[in-house]
């Protein structure tokens, strides 16, 4: 959630309420970031790790995890960019 998007809407509230809302937004962003990291880790692990015979990843597993991570992050960035574009187009001017 974009904190700047809400600043205009909450500017009429008392400072204590603004601070509380800002804190809640920060907590939500942290939770969402951790959730994204967890999903990424689980997805790439499930797709790439095939053996448990040693403590470290094999060469092919390491390459797979790197590609999986890069692809996931590119997709997330693209979705966020597109969402911002659509949000900007739909906002009143």
């Amino acid at each position: 959630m974009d904190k700047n998007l809400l600043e205009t809407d909450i500017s009429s509230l008392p400072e204590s309420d603004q601070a509380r809302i800002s804190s809640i937004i920060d907590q939500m962003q942290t939770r969402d970031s951790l959730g994204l990291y967890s999903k990424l880790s689980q997805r790439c692990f499930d797709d790439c790790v095939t053996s448990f015979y040693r403590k470290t990843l094999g060469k092919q597993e390491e390459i797979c995890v790197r590609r999986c991570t890069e692809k996931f992050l590119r997709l997330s960035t693209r979705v966020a960019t597109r969402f911002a574009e659509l949000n900007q187009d739909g906002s009143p001017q």
Side-chain angles (χ1 to χ4, degrees):
M1 182 178 293
D2 186 4
K3 198 186 297 187
N4 295 330
L5 180 66
L6 290 177
E7 284 180 2
T8 305
D9 299 332
I10 66 172
S11 61
S12 62
L13 297 174
E15 281 190 39
S16 61
D17 290 343
Q18 290 180 25
R20 191 174 19 235
I21 290 171
S22 181
S23 174
I24 291 169
I25 290 170
D26 288 343
Q27 290 172 4
M28 290 172 64
Q29 288 176 330
T30 300
R31 184 196 65 211
D32 290 346
S33 294
L34 291 173
L36 180 66
Y37 176 78
S38 177
K39 287 178 188 176
L40 169 64
S41 298
Q42 190 64 50
R43 173 70 187 262
C44 292
F45 181 87
D46 291 344
D47 288 351
C48 298
V49 178
T50 57
S51 70
F52 297 96
Y53 296 113
R54 57 186 159 209
K55 294 179 182 180
T56 60
L57 293 175
K59 182 78 170 161
Q60 292 303 317
E61 291 171 331
E62 189 174 329
I63 291 169
C64 180
V65 168
R66 185 176 298 117
R67 286 182 182 156
C68 178
T69 304
E70 289 170 356
K71 186 185 289 187
F72 191 91
L73 293 175
R74 278 195 314 267
L75 174 67
S76 296
T77 301
R78 177 65 184 134
V79 168
T81 301
R82 185 67 179 131
F83 180 75
E85 290 169 357
L86 291 172
N87 193 30
Q88 189 175 31
D89 290 344
S91 64
Q93 295 186 20

